[in-house]
C-alpha cells in the first residue's frame, strides 16, 4: 500500500467519523429545545468521545500500515526482517505493540525457528528505524492537517448549538435611601 493510499484510507475513516458526529449533532440541535442542558452536555461529550476514538483508531492503522510497508520494502531489498525484529521495531517506534497475528502474516518465514537468528547488523537496524521515523513524521504531519480541516468544519456546527447569550440590562447600583454614601477614606483604609 502506498503512502497516498494510506492517507486516502485515513481520510475516508476520519470523514466517516466526523459525518456521524455531525449527523448526531444535527439531531441533538433539533432536540435542544426540549432537552436539559445537562443531558445535551453529556450527549455532546459522548459524541465527541466516539468521534475521537474513531479518528485515533484510524491514525493507529495508518501508522502501523506505514511501518509495515517500510519494513516489507527493506525485506524485498534482501534484508532479513523477521517477525521478532518487526515486533521489537514497532514497539520502539510506536511505544506499543501491534497484533502478533498481523506481524506473523507479514514477516514470519514458514519452517524458521527461533534458533535461526536474523542476520541484520546494528547499522541496518539504525538505518531501517531512521527511515521509518522520517516517513512517519511526514505521515503524521499530513494526518494532523486532515484532522484539523475536518475538525474546523464540525466546530462551526457545534457552535451553532450554543444558545445565543442573553443581553442583560446593566444594573445601576444605587445606595439605599436611608444609608449615606460610604466615605472614601474608610473604603481605602484611611482612618484619621
Amino acid at each position: 500500500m502506498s503512502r497516498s493510499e494510506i492517507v486516502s484510507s485515513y481520510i475516508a475513516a476520519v470523514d466517516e467519523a466526523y459525518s456521524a458526529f455531525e449527523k448526531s449533532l444535527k439531531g441533538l440541535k433539533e432536540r435542544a429545545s426540549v432537552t436539559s442542558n445537562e443531558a445535551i452536555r453529556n450527549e455532546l461529550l459522548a459524541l465527541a468521545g466516539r468521534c475521537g476514538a474513531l479518528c485515533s483508531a484510524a491514525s493507529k492503522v495508518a501508522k502501523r500500515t506505514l511501518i509495515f510497508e517500510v519494513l516489507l520494502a527493506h525485506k524485498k531489498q534482501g534484508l532479513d526482517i523477521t517477525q521478532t525484529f518487526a515486533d521489537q521495531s514497532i514497539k520502539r517506534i510506536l511505544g506499543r505493540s501491534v497484533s502478533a497475528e498481523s506481524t506473523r502474516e507479514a514477516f514470519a518465514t514458514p519452517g524458521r525457528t527461533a534458533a535461526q537468528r536474523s542476520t541484520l547488523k546494528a547499522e541496518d537496524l539504525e538505518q531501517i528505524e531512521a527511515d521509518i521515523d522520517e516517513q512517519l513524521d511526514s505521515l503524521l504531519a499530513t494526518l494532523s492537517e486532515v484532522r484539523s480541516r475536518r475538525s474546523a468544519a464540525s466546530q462551526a456546527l457545534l457552535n451553532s448549538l450554543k444558545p445565543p447569550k442573553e443581553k442583560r440590562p446593566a444594573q445601576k447600583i444605587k445606595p439605599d435611601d436611608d444609608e449615606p454614601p460610604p466615605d472614601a477614606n474608610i473604603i481605602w483604609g484611611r482612618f484619621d
Side-chain angles (χ1 to χ4, degrees), residues 53-126:
L54 291 170
C55 290
S56 178
S59 177
K60 288 178 180 181
V61 168
K63 290 177 202 177
R64 186 197 72 180
T65 304
L66 177 79
I67 292 171
F68 272 41
E69 291 302 319
V70 173
L71 290 172
L72 288 170
H74 283 285
K75 187 172 184 170
K76 286 178 185 172
Q77 292 174 356
L79 293 177
D80 188 18
I81 308 287
T82 64
Q83 178 185 355
T84 302
F85 172 77
D87 282 333
Q88 291 172 351
S89 292
I90 291 168
K91 277 183 190 174
R92 276 193 299 275
I93 293 166
L94 294 181
R96 61 178 173 76
S97 62
V98 297
S99 161
E101 183 180 336
S102 61
T103 54
R104 184 174 47 257
E105 287 175 9
F107 301 103
T109 306
R112 186 173 187 169
T113 66
Q116 298 165 318
R117 303 268 181 205
S118 176
T119 59
L120 289 175
K121 297 181 178 115
E123 307 85 52
D124 297 329
L125 301 176
E126 290 172 9

Side-chain angles (χ1 to χ4, degrees), residues 36-49:
S36 73
N37 286 343
E38 185 66 24
I40 289 173
R41 181 182 176 280
N42 289 341
E43 193 166 343
L44 279 174
L45 290 173
L47 292 173

